[in-house]
Amino acid sequence: MKLDFDAMEETAIPRFRDGEKTTYARMFVDGNNRIMRGRLEPGASIGLHPHQGSSEIVYILSGTGKALYDGGEEALAPGGCHYCPEGHTHSLVNDGGEDLIFFAVVPRHGDGG
């Protein structure tokens, strides 16, 4: 199945998971996965949240930022990939001067989501 993110409507999600500013996403959701191309403007973030019943893979397409992960920080730049396994906590922050564009996949594990 081909997913055309350019043809999907971009949804604005203010303060996503209690983050700063607004997260913009073009998203595909079915019973097993959430797949999205997201955008964070400078200073925006996705709030710190745990993954119970799911994990998340975040691949950076452009811009720079950081992942807050289990109490630490990981610098992210184009080509970098952050992985948050089930049972761990993370956040994504745009601390750069341009939009942070990323591709994310959130597979559901068992009956979780």
Side-chain angles (χ1 to χ4, degrees):
M1 169 193 300
K2 178 181 176 180
L3 301 177
D4 184 355
F5 290 99
D6 289 332
M8 294 178 189
E9 181 178 342
E10 184 175 65
T11 302
I13 309 166
R15 298 187 44 79
F16 186 44
R17 299 200 180 259
D18 290 325
E20 296 296 320
K21 297 188 176 185
T22 300
T23 299
Y24 298 90
R26 297 172 190 268
M27 192 174 327
F28 171 83
V29 179
D30 67 10
N32 298 309
N33 296 285
R34 286 188 306 257
I35 304 169
M36 71 181 233
R37 185 175 71 199
R39 177 170 64 90
L40 293 174
E41 296 173 328
S45 67
I46 296 171
L48 193 65
H49 61 281
H51 275 270
Q52 297 300 327
S54 68
S55 56
E56 185 168 9
I57 301 119
V58 178
Y59 182 82
I60 305 303
L61 299 168
S62 65
T64 59
K66 63 184 174 185
L68 305 180
Y69 176 69
D70 285 349
E73 285 188 16
E74 301 171 344
L76 297 171
C81 186
H82 164 72
Y83 174 56
C84 183
E86 181 177 17
H88 293 263
T89 300
H90 74 149
S91 172
L92 185 62
V93 178
N94 181 349
D95 60 1
E98 62 184 75
D99 285 356
L100 177 63
I101 310 294
F102 60 95
F103 178 78
V105 178
V106 182
R108 188 177 70 142
H109 299 245
D111 292 330

